[in-house]
Amino acid sequence: MGKKEVPSLVKDEKLIQRRREEMVKAAVSLFKENGFHRTTTREIAKASGFSIGTLYEYIRSKEDILYLVCDSIYDGVKVRLQQDINGEDSGIQGVERAIAAYFKVMDDMQDEVLVMYQEAKSLSHEALPYVLKKELEMTAIFEELLFKVVKQGELHLSENEIPAAAHNIVILGQMWTFRRWALQKIYTLEEYTQLQLQQLLYGIKGA
């Protein structure tokens, strides 16, 4: 499933990118406060700093904006994660650093991640498979890291267990956002990360 094309009447690619980034930022705030269905395109345009007519030069519908929000968030998470993972790290320590980096990204992008998962169900049948594919691509980053460590003999996981472990890592990072109303009253991010690392990795090792 390829990237969905969102038509624009404007031909300047840099201007399109800048305007859409402004829309995404405004939409995240409004969707968080009011939800997707209760937010109007007029409100998004106003919060973005331009007219409703200008907004429709860059998108066709409010659903286009939701798609751009989801696409932007996944790209942001993936870029941040790849930047924070040190390619020279190897073994269990490398996996630890990658997980800690991912949890930090989830903490930094709490509102965006929460909005995306609350509202992704409103995406079209055309757009949703692409967004779900992006989720799997993020999970695949951890699958690859775990596979390398298993191959090195530092983790004992079967080929069938590696994808489940990777999905667990992704979900536990997201849980810091979804259940922040409870978890962030109990733990700091560092404490939460260390607890999850202990259960995810060292528990698996049986140390």
Side-chain angles (χ1 to χ4, degrees), residues 111-199:
D111 290 344
E112 290 90 338
V113 172
L114 191 61
V115 164
M116 181 177 65
Y117 280 98
Q118 285 177 334
E119 306 298 347
K121 61 183 180 295
S122 298
L123 288 167
S124 68
H125 293 302
E126 175 190 2
L128 184 58
Y130 171 75
V131 170
L132 296 178
K133 179 175 177 286
K134 303 274 276 193
E135 174 91 356
L136 293 178
E137 288 174 357
M138 190 163 60
T139 307
I141 294 173
F142 291 105
E143 284 191 45
E144 182 178 354
L145 289 170
L146 290 171
F147 177 79
K148 289 179 180 178
V149 175
V150 168
K151 191 174 181 180
Q152 293 167 358
E154 294 191 58
L155 277 180
H156 301 289
L157 293 171
S158 69
E159 185 176 340
N160 190 48
E161 289 171 326
I162 291 174
H167 280 280
N168 282 342
I169 292 168
V170 171
I171 292 300
L172 288 171
Q174 294 166 350
M175 188 169 76
W176 178 250
T177 293
F178 299 152
R179 296 189 66 81
R180 63 186 181 182
W181 56 272
L183 290 173
Q184 295 181 25
K185 293 178 181 178
I186 305 171
Y187 308 113
T188 64
L189 175 62
E190 291 73 21
E191 290 169 341
Y192 177 79
T193 300
Q194 288 305 311
L195 284 169
Q196 296 299 356
L197 285 173
Q198 182 68 32
Q199 293 180 15

Side-chain angles (χ1 to χ4, degrees), residues 23-37 39 44 62 65-74 106 109-123 128 131 174 177-178 180:
M23 289 181 201
V24 165
K25 183 177 180 180
V28 166
S29 179
L30 289 167
F31 292 166
K32 177 192 170 188
E33 183 176 352
N34 304 321
F36 172 73
H37 292 291
T39 299
I44 295 171
K62 187 171 68 171
I65 299 175
L66 178 59
Y67 170 78
L68 293 172
V69 166
C70 294
D71 193 41
S72 173
I73 291 169
Y74 273 119
M106 289 294 99
M109 299 182 69
Q110 291 181 47
D111 290 344
E112 290 90 338
V113 172
L114 191 61
V115 164
M116 181 177 65
Y117 280 98
Q118 285 177 334
E119 306 298 347
K121 61 183 180 295
S122 298
L123 288 167
L128 184 58
V131 170
Q174 294 166 350
T177 293
F178 299 152
R180 63 186 181 182

